[in-house]
Amino acid sequence: MKEGLDELATFACRLADAARGETLIDASGLDVRSKAPAGAYDPVTSADVNAETAMRSLILQTYPGHGVAGEELGDQDGSEARYRWSLDPIDGTRSFICGLPHWVTLIALLDANTPILGVIDAPRLGERYIGHEGRAVLVTPQGEKPLQASGCFRVEDARFSTTDPFLFDRGEFDAVDRLRRAARMTRYGLDGYAYARLAAGSIDLVVESGLRAHDLNALIPVIKAAGGTIGDWSGSHDFSRGRVVAAATEELYREAVSILS
């Protein structure tokens, strides 16, 4: 299986390259629309759609028996297959349209609904985080190096991140604020890039709510392969509510869950 996953990881990098061809552009002139119901704002651009279309086309050409599920274009024929690709062409579209650099492309391969391969690609930063089967690497123009979570095991020592504290409902906000006050320091606004940096060892703890499958699938193999832990807010692995805690160690995860509870 390892040789097969190495081959599929190489292919996942081809998908990331195809997405880069559509997203490494000047976003200032793009049309932006909201795909949320009236009164809410969930932006999408033509770059999101074009990047997902490019990745889907490559999957169809190379692995026509694989299923695909993506943020912008939904499921396609074959999505009930054993192997499925999960695609989020631009995670952090708000950052993308504001010209900020830390948006990412998320690519995962699932085996019977279990994520086994993940890529977190940060095109503007020239960074690609790849994880599968206990192997996690960061690829940059300067070369490749292994990823390793920090080993932090106490919240009081943790560098904590969440994308936006105002995305939580009131009860969630209070719980996360307890964690924020207990942690050593907090950074906001990183979207999926925070999980990449957790795998790289420069962030120790990430907590979010409202994530969907395409937001989450690629993160799991990368964090686990780097030695980190990822689960839900109750100490289990039920992500149906979109509540996620990612931590550098199991001890840190358990303490964070206790504070959230």
Side-chain angles (χ1 to χ4, degrees):
M1 185 64 177
K2 183 178 186 304
E3 290 182 0
L5 270 182
D6 285 342
E7 178 182 323
L8 287 162
T10 299
F11 176 70
C13 290
R14 289 178 59 198
L15 296 179
D17 289 338
R20 285 189 181 195
E22 303 294 340
T23 59
L24 280 176
I25 59 175
D26 180 2
S28 62
L30 291 176
D31 290 332
V32 182
R33 63 177 175 84
S34 177
K35 57 187 178 181
Y41 186 65
D42 187 4
V44 61
T45 73
S46 57
D48 295 77
V49 176
N50 292 343
E52 186 171 323
T53 299
M55 290 189 284
R56 285 172 177 267
S57 177
L58 194 52
I59 293 168
L60 182 62
Q61 294 170 20
T62 311
Y63 296 104
H66 288 192
V68 183
E71 178 180 15
E72 308 304 341
L73 302 175
D75 292 354
Q76 73 178 37
D77 289 345
S79 291
E80 298 303 320
R82 174 180 174 181
Y83 295 106
R84 293 192 301 117
W85 293 92
S86 172
L87 308 174
D88 188 348
I90 302 177
D91 183 83
T93 302
R94 290 173 176 82
S95 293
F96 177 74
I97 62 180
C98 290
L100 300 174
H102 48 256
W103 51 272
V104 295
T105 296
L106 301 177
I107 300 165
L109 179 66
L110 283 69
D111 180 355
N113 294 318
T114 298
I116 59 172
L117 163 66
V119 172
I120 306 171
D121 193 46
R124 286 288 180 209
L125 299 172
E127 299 173 354
R128 184 168 294 166
Y129 301 76
I130 307 164
H132 65 85
E133 269 195 344
R135 179 175 183 266
V137 295
L138 168 59
V139 180
T140 70
Q142 289 71 46
E144 179 180 302
K145 64 179 182 180
L147 290 170
Q148 181 63 55
S150 69
C152 176
F153 63 92
R154 299 190 305 178
V155 168
E156 66 182 272
D157 296 324
R159 296 159 292 182
F160 168 62
S161 182
T162 190
T163 295
D164 185 340
F166 298 106
L167 294 176
F168 298 108
D169 66 30
R170 185 63 198 180
E172 292 174 338
F173 179 90
D174 291 343
V176 173
D177 195 53
R178 286 196 302 272
L179 192 59
R180 177 195 64 81
R181 287 184 280 110
R184 172 164 292 182
M185 60 179 290
T186 303
R187 296 290 87 192
Y188 296 122
L190 298 179
D191 296 287
Y193 188 61
Y195 299 87
R197 296 313 305 171
L198 189 148
S202 63
I203 287 177
D204 308 303
L205 181 65
V206 185
V207 175
E208 306 215 74
S209 181
L211 298 192
R212 292 168 288 180
H214 57 260
D215 300 311
L216 180 61
N217 286 327
L219 312 176
I220 295 171
V222 176
I223 288 171
K224 286 185 174 180
T229 296
I230 186 166
D232 65 17
W233 287 27
S234 65
S236 185
H237 296 88
D238 178 7
F239 298 115
S240 60
R241 298 181 67 183
R243 290 178 167 181
V244 175
V245 179
T249 60
E250 181 70 19
E251 294 91 341
L252 181 60
Y253 172 77
R254 294 295 172 190
E255 185 183 357
V257 165
S258 177
I259 292 172
L260 288 170
S261 300

